[in-house]
Amino acid sequence: MNWFRDFLLPRGASTLVGETDGLFLFITLLTVFFFFFNGALILYAVKRWRRRSEKEVTPHITHDTRLELVWSLIPLVVVMLIFFWGFRGYVKAWVAPNESMEIIVTGKKWVWEFEYPDGTRTLNDLHVPVNQPVKLVLTAEDVIHSFYIPEFRLKRDAIPGRYTELWFTATKPGIYQVFCAEYCGKGHSDMLARIFVDTPEQYETFLREGDEQVRKMPLKELGRLVWENKGCATCHSLDGTRGQGPSWKGIWGHKQRGADGKEYQVDADYIRQSILAPQAVVVEGYQPIMPTYQGLLREREILGVIEFIKDLQ
Amino acid sequence: MSEGVLHAGAGHAVQHADYLEEPRGLWSWLTTVDHKRIGLMYMWSVLFFFLVGGIFALLIRLELLTPRQTVMDAETYNRVFTLHGAIMTFLVIIPAIPAALGNFALPLLIGARDVAFPRLNLASLYIYWTGAAMAVATLALGGVDTGWTFYTPYSTTTGGGVSLMVLAAFVLGFSSIFTGVNFIATIHKLRAPGMGWFEMPLFAWGMYATAIIQILATPVLGITLLLIVMERVLGVGIFDPQLGGDPVLFQHFFWFYSHPAVYIMILPAMAVISEVIPTFSKKTIFGYKAIAFSSVAIALLGFLVWAHHMFVAGMSLFAGAIFSFLTFFIAVPSAIKVFNWIATMWRGSIALEAPMLHAISFLLIFTIGGLTGLFLAALSTDVHLHDTYFVVAHFHYVMAGSNLIALLAGMHYWWPKMFGRMYNRRLAAIASAIIFVGFNLTFLPQFVLGSRGMPRRYFNYLPQFQDLHVVSTVGSWVLAAGLFLTAAYLLASFRQPKGMPANPWGGRTLEWETPSPPTTHNFEGQPVLQHGPYDYRPEPAPVGVKEMAH
Ligand code: HEM
Ligand SMILES: [Cu+2]
């Protein structure tokens, strides 16, 4: 049975998994059973009663109340069972325990932003301690997004102008994929985030200094990581193709013409300003759509981006 | 083969030319009020758009062959899947069986000369063409990238031809309503003498149930779509929170129509299957009333379950529970029908002609489609599966699998009646097998993709999902091959002489009592029912009026 479950479902890593997977497997078996049951009946009928002559006469059977009751009532009982089973799991996933840690999640085209109780903010990477109930309060800035963590069997829409909630207790340390499940335009399929389920010590360190990767990595690599993970990649290419924003290739040391008609030298200060106050200078021909990263990147990460761009000649 | 149960002046009246020949000329077709000609024009139109939508489908599958860009960029991909969905839903599946086969067959099946309002019928076709032209014209405005569901506030804020597409769906709604009104009146008023409600072929019950939904639900979609246009064009805040609106309200409105609409798609398919299985089993239908009532039950219950599309959209626990609970009741009449059809085959005399092969495909595919609905109706599993490929697979099993395969069954069944010609039956049998295999190869892997966590409407995807996507894409080629083969031998049938007898399959419903193809007025004189629609007894027990009405 386990290989079957592992074939159909991603590994489970929250307290809700058991309940949901149990029901999932039950309905799967039901489906497989009825498919083969109906298939066998049809096959049997076709083999046994295949027409051999046009003169064949068939019995005139219009109905059979007893049989019909049986095949109405059995499905009825089975579906009611499924209803209650599914409802039980949903209720369990409904109300967050009081001791939950609360994190505010904002979806916007095409990044996920997380805000922790202590004010730390991160983009696309969410750190949570293992075995601790966590409540996510979801909202969106532009259109509807949906926060989906397959390994936790959880999903909830993030809706502009509203707050929705989702809670979980992660049971295994590790890294888990988050998808945006509600179609939201061009970058929908790149609107990915990761949940790092940390041991308590790892989590403390994270709150103080950012995650380990970030602390130790060479600057240039860190810059690439920021580009990949913090949403830069949805608008800025590395190979010179035009996106929602200017490509980063070969801009270092050159001049960019701003929408105001002035020329700006691309240097460390210019890049820093473009990250923290993107509307201050908008390159000619582009929309002022870039969000500010003020408070979202650590100092070291900004340095990393500068080094990374320097290298893209 | 037909024992001549019905003789209402047939034979001794003057022989008229068939409806295809007389009157002649393109103009006579464009201005015809003959339900059969209108049905055929609908059929060719639907098939044309099926080809267009199908090409888009192949492009989608081709793009998904690799995890990143394959043949188009993300924005193009989004437009392609939107057009695919919108065309297939509004231009193909919704009108396919009622407007094409229903228009052709319903009056014949109940012994009528035409539908109740022939001009309204023609109007509905022109409205369909208008709506179709509008939908295609959106391409000139840069396409539409909202998905066929038009969720707000994305749809009210994105660029492109959204307003026009939405107006197209609005216009198409009227063609659907007109057909529905027409069928209800036709079934009430124009049944042959002696045909009580329970002597009607089940196809008519299916059309009746469909028509109820068409006229009750479609106006809600119409109003909702107009509200979108008002918001986009006039800036009235209804759905966009920036303007003080509520985006979730749109989903309620949309699914209030679109959930019942999924039954606009399946009830006619069930209606076709209920005709094909008795004919090719040469046996009376099992559980006539159960099938008839479960169609109506599905139509009515279908209005009470719309919010099962929104279990993760932030509705209350109570609302979630109610909508889940009610949804499960739809599964019961669906199950009943499947068992009834199988019981009809039991102890029959089964001829594996192409229509029957498609009907058997339907039974198997609908079994999977219906049962996978249970995963989605159950709250806890739906939270995991909603908006993943699992849902995509589910609705393709019920829409593409069940509806389109039923359309094929119906077309193969009535083809000799429509054109008086027979296609190559061997090729037809082979094609039905290819279609069955191709269909399952395309969509079965998508259930697994979804349950493993692959969200829908994704241009890029994680490499771990590639294997299953490749299988699915290869499946789409097999499916396409089966469909092209079908198109080829159906078209080739026009090179055969018109020589089909009135009743090539030995059916017992009234359309088989008139020549193939029928004359413009369907029957010579007024047919009178002398036995039930599925009565295969050697000497049918008479029901209803026997004397000749004229
Ligand atoms: C046994 C009967 C059925 C049940 C219990 C059922 C249940 C459901 C549920 C609960 C959903 C929502 C899933 C989600 O969004 O998470 C769904 C989606 C859908 N179903 Fe079914 N269904 C059944 C039969 C059908 C039939 C007969 C059709 C059409 C012919 C159909 C077409 C659809 C479509 C089009 C969607 C998804 C639309 C979208 O999100 O784009 N279903 N079904
Ligand atoms: Cu539904």
Side-chain angles (χ1 to χ4, degrees), chain B residues 14-27:
Chain B
V14 198
Q15 275 299 303
H16 292 290
D18 68 60
Y19 77 103
L20 295 167
E21 300 293 335
E22 193 156 308
R24 279 182 178 279
L26 183 64
W27 185 246

Side-chain angles (χ1 to χ4, degrees), chain B residues 148 255 262 308-309 370 373 376-377 382 386 394-395 398-399 456:
Chain B
W148 74 281
W255 289 112
V262 308
H308 65 209
H309 296 267
L376 304 173
D382 183 61
H386 174 72
H394 160 69
F395 69 71
V398 277
M399 289 162 69
R456 67 192 284 201

Side-chain angles (χ1 to χ4, degrees), chain B residues 460-526:
Chain B
N460 292 320
Y461 58 82
L462 301 184
Q464 75 211 46
F465 297 121
Q466 188 174 8
D467 295 350
L468 289 165
H469 272 301
V470 170
V471 177
S472 180
T473 299
V474 172
S476 72
W477 299 334
V478 177
L479 181 54
L483 290 168
F484 278 115
L485 178 58
T486 304
Y489 67 71
L490 285 181
L491 291 177
S493 77
F494 289 112
R495 297 182 15 205
Q496 302 290 319
K498 261 192 214 167
M500 275 291 116
N503 192 359
W505 308 124
R508 302 298 261 169
T509 36
L510 290 179
E511 81 276 31
W512 304 114
E513 304 293 345
T514 188
S516 310
T519 58
T520 304
H521 293 299
N522 293 353
F523 301 96
E524 298 295 332
Q526 170 63 63

Side-chain angles (χ1 to χ4, degrees), chain A residues 7-8 10 38 49 51 54 56 58 60 62 90 94 148 155 157 162 180-183 185 188-190, chain B residues 78 145 154 246 282 284 287 311-312 315 347-350 367 383-384 386-387 451-452 457-458 460 537:
Chain A
F7 174 68
L8 293 177
N38 289 352
W49 294 297
R51 188 176 301 172
E54 290 303 324
E56 272 169 9
T58 57
H60 189 75
T62 56
Y90 195 62
W94 193 261
Y148 175 33
K155 175 183 299 118
D157 288 358
R162 275 209 194 183
C180 176
E182 183 63 67
Y183 172 70
H188 170 54
S189 63
D190 302 321
Chain B
N78 293 344
D145 72 340
Y154 188 80
D246 178 357
K282 212 179 179 194
T284 193
F311 289 146
V312 304
M315 58 175 172
R347 300 176 63 190
S349 162
I350 298 171
T367 298
V383 169
H384 176 55
H386 174 72
D387 267 340
S451 63
R452 285 185 178 178
R457 297 176 173 171
Y458 261 35
N460 292 320
R537 280 171 290 186

Side-chain angles (χ1 to χ4, degrees), chain A residues 201-219:
Chain A
E201 305 78 58
Q202 284 173 328
Y203 185 68
E204 278 307 308
T205 324
F206 156 73
L207 282 186
R208 262 197 330 273
E209 305 163 34
D211 48 38
E212 194 170 354
Q213 257 186 323
V214 170
R215 291 192 310 271
K216 300 211 174 127
M217 193 176 274
L219 280 175

